[in-house]
Amino acid sequence: MKNKISPNRYSDAIFRIASEDRNVDEWKDFLKNLEVALSDIEVRSFLEGPKISLSEKIDLFKKAEIEEDNKQFSFLKMLLERNHIFMTGEILQKFNTLLDKSRGIRRAEIISAFPLSDLEVNNINQMLNGIVDAEVHSQNIVDRSILGGFIAKFDDQMLDMSFRGKLNQMKQKILE
């Protein structure tokens, strides 16, 4: 089996470096800007071009003045050398997860039958803050099949306060 490098290894390493240097926000911006640059079709085809040498690819980023931060430029150069440059989106996603965890933030999806107002989302967030003992940031997703109420989903947890969930609970009690 081929040894596959995980974006998690990169994000773990750079998060540790960024934390030690106390510049996690700069690294987050760097990764975000890199992801935007790599989404450009011309940049992508240039970097994927088999006739383009590694030194030419590195020179492209030198012209973008990324080398002002030696660690960020070294990281970028390593991704280019290992042909992992297009993992940037996944690396950024994992980096953001680590950043949220270090700041005591949990991300959630609040699934409801109808769109919720900002006030309703904030009220649910406040309630969830106490339950998960963290600051909750969430987004509202509409799913008409839950009938009413809401479901709060975290990475590894779910709180079902929906009408469909309550009906299923009642059904299970009746069947017992």
Side-chain angles (χ1 to χ4, degrees), residues 34-160:
L34 188 57
E35 181 184 29
V36 169
L38 294 173
S39 68
D40 182 281
I41 301 289
E42 290 178 22
V43 172
R44 188 173 188 95
S45 27
F46 175 82
L47 293 173
E48 288 177 334
K51 295 181 181 179
I52 309 300
S53 71
L54 177 61
S55 62
E56 289 174 302
K57 293 174 184 179
I58 292 170
D59 285 343
L60 171 72
F61 287 102
K62 280 184 181 177
K63 290 176 185 171
E65 298 177 8
I66 292 174
E67 63 183 325
E68 289 177 14
D69 183 319
N70 285 337
K71 291 178 183 176
Q72 290 176 352
F73 188 72
S74 294
F75 173 71
L76 176 61
K77 188 176 170 187
M78 181 178 59
L79 289 179
L80 286 167
E81 289 168 347
R82 295 179 180 185
N83 203 22
H84 293 153
I85 193 69
F86 296 106
M87 285 186 181
T88 308
E90 295 168 272
I91 294 168
L92 173 62
Q93 186 177 27
K94 175 66 175 167
F95 186 89
N96 284 334
T97 301
L98 293 169
L99 183 57
D100 283 349
K101 185 176 181 180
S102 75
R103 293 180 173 169
I105 297 172
R106 297 274 313 261
R107 302 277 172 186
E109 293 178 346
I110 298 175
I111 304 165
S112 60
F114 301 96
L116 300 174
S117 70
D118 289 341
L119 179 62
E120 291 168 320
V121 170
N122 287 335
N123 288 339
I124 293 171
N125 285 343
Q126 291 299 316
M127 180 194 72
L128 294 173
N129 287 347
I131 293 172
V132 298
D133 197 31
E135 182 180 337
V136 176
H137 294 220
S138 61
Q139 67 178 34
N140 181 216
I141 296 174
V142 176
D143 178 355
R144 301 220 186 271
S145 71
I146 70 168
L147 306 175
F150 69 91
I151 299 172
K153 282 188 177 180
F154 296 91
D155 293 330
D156 58 347
Q157 294 176 315
M158 182 176 88
L159 174 64
D160 190 348

